[in-house]
Amino acid sequence: MDFQTLSAARYSLRKFDSRPVEQEKLNQILEAGRNAPTAHNYQPQRIFVLQSPEALEKADACAGSHFNPPVILAVAYDPAVSWKREYDGKDHGEIDAAIAAAQMMLQAADLGLGTTYVGMFEPDKLLAAFPEMAGTCPIALLPLGYPAEGAHPARLHTDRRPLEELVQYL
């Protein structure tokens, strides 16, 4: 599939099949996150693969949305590693981690899997539930898996503002 078709077809999957994600596909998705561009190539993104029933239950308890996927990728960044802009101290870790998340979401779609970007979760509760994440700043949970039968894009998926509203040529 060419990129334009892939980027238009990818949607936020909210209904997952219980089928497990093959390790080979998971590895390709994680590699897409590893290869993401980051400010000064500092690579502060940190990805936590939650797939045991216990880990999925703990993550679900921290989120406002519940999709019951076979895998959740918790995407975070390490502020001790991320680049800070010299002029104002702007930390680019969240941006870098979001770029990694976007690349993983597109790779998943290319492999026939679905994701959704969940920002509605309690970061402090997630950090308390997973001590392995200490020192990181979680930015998103990415439920990951195969679409369940009948899964489809949300009604608003294809509603897009005209390009003229979003782009200015100066």
Side-chain angles (χ1 to χ4, degrees), residues 50-60 130:
L50 312 177
Q51 57 187 1
S52 71
E54 299 79 22
L56 292 169
E57 186 177 321
K58 287 195 296 186
D60 192 58
F130 295 98

Side-chain angles (χ1 to χ4, degrees), residues 25-36:
K25 289 185 177 183
L26 182 57
N27 290 344
Q28 284 182 266
I29 293 164
L30 296 171
E31 190 66 22
R34 185 178 80 89
N35 287 328

Side-chain angles (χ1 to χ4, degrees), residues 88-137:
D88 61 359
K90 167 72 175 158
D91 189 331
H92 281 246
E94 185 167 2
I95 296 165
D96 293 340
I99 293 169
Q103 286 201 181
M104 290 189 295
M105 291 166 66
L106 289 167
Q107 180 65 71
D110 190 51
L111 295 171
L113 296 159
T115 60
T116 189
Y117 188 107
V118 176
M120 196 163 93
F121 67 95
E122 297 179 59
D124 291 339
K125 196 172 177 182
L126 189 70
L127 291 168
F130 295 98
E132 302 85 353
M133 295 183 192
T136 70
C137 298

Side-chain angles (χ1 to χ4, degrees), residues 123-158:
D124 291 339
K125 196 172 177 182
L126 189 70
L127 291 168
F130 295 98
E132 302 85 353
M133 295 183 192
T136 70
C137 298
I139 66 146
L141 299 175
L142 301 182
L144 171 69
Y146 286 97
E149 188 174 329
H152 57 82
R155 180 183 56 80
L156 299 175
H157 174 72
T158 56

